[in-house]
Amino acid sequence: MTPVTNSTTPNSGPAAVTFRAPTVNDAPRLWQIARDSRVLDLNSSYSYLLWCRDFRDSSVVAAHGDNIGGFVTGFVRPQDPRTVFVWQVAVDENLRGHGIAASMLNHLLDHLAHQGVTRLETTISPGNTASQALFTSLARTRYTSIARQRLFDPSHFPDQHESEELYTIGDH
């Protein structure tokens, strides 16, 4: 895969935000942003290191200055190379409200389109209305369809996790 290229988007935040592929050195900050979100499932710090090494070409970080202010972790599904599965999206609390999450997702989809990716999948728990709004808006702004179906019930999880619904954006 071709690495995610750098790009900048204007925003009303404190500084211009640059999007790029994550590096292993970014992993501790991704872990911190996920932890501080108090919404995302916090994976081990080791998993963020592996994500930044092994799935960097299908993930994005938002840098403002020398700081990482947000990230999208994803992978192209081995069983369906037309589909990117987005694992987590997070923006630092101080940068929320400036469209950074949507911009990262659009950047990722634009980058992966050159590799034949035409569809995005993600799972969202029924109570996560912010993520539901983000991905519904993404489908609308990209003039494409969105579908939702139950994927995992609480009985699938050993830790009392909520159910997860699969959202599919793009061709079906």
Side-chain angles (χ1 to χ4, degrees):
M1 278 187 187
T2 311
V4 175
T5 56
N6 292 338
S7 70
T8 303
T9 186
N11 65 65
S12 58
V17 175
T18 303
F19 302 116
R20 62 171 174 78
T23 68
V24 169
N25 291 334
D26 298 324
R29 181 66 181 133
L30 272 60
W31 181 87
Q32 290 171 340
I33 292 170
R35 178 199 63 200
D36 294 348
S37 77
R38 296 177 301 279
V39 175
L40 291 177
D41 290 336
L42 184 61
N43 299 297
S44 72
S45 57
Y46 181 68
S47 70
Y48 291 94
L49 285 164
L50 288 175
W51 212 281
C52 289
R53 185 191 77 161
D54 294 340
F55 300 107
R56 71 181 306 272
D57 293 334
S58 53
S59 299
V60 176
V61 295
H64 64 103
D66 293 333
N67 300 313
I68 300 299
F71 69 88
V72 172
T73 52
F75 62 90
V76 175
R77 291 193 57 212
Q79 303 89 340
D80 183 0
R82 298 173 308 134
T83 302
V84 61
F85 183 88
V86 171
W87 179 258
Q88 289 187 318
V89 178
V91 176
D92 182 81
E93 186 174 23
N94 296 326
L95 295 174
R96 291 181 193 151
H98 299 289
I100 293 172
S103 293
M104 287 188 295
L105 288 167
N106 276 303
H107 176 84
L108 180 63
L109 287 170
D110 291 345
H111 165 70
L112 293 174
H114 297 96
Q115 299 169 32
V117 171
T118 59
R119 181 173 39 229
L120 179 148
E121 289 183 344
T122 193
T123 60
I124 305 172
S125 58
N128 189 341
T129 57
S131 287
Q132 292 167 11
L134 171 65
F135 285 96
T136 299
S137 175
L138 178 70
R140 186 173 40 254
T141 60
R142 293 186 75 86
Y143 302 101
T144 192
S145 62
I146 185 168
R148 182 181 77 189
Q149 67 184 47
R150 177 72 55 102
L151 183 64
F152 299 120
D153 290 317
S155 64
H156 290 114
F157 297 98
D159 61 354
Q160 309 303 319
H161 195 286
E162 267 189 286
S163 62
E164 290 283 342
E165 295 179 337
L166 179 68
Y167 283 69
T168 304
I169 297 172
D171 64 1
H172 297 278

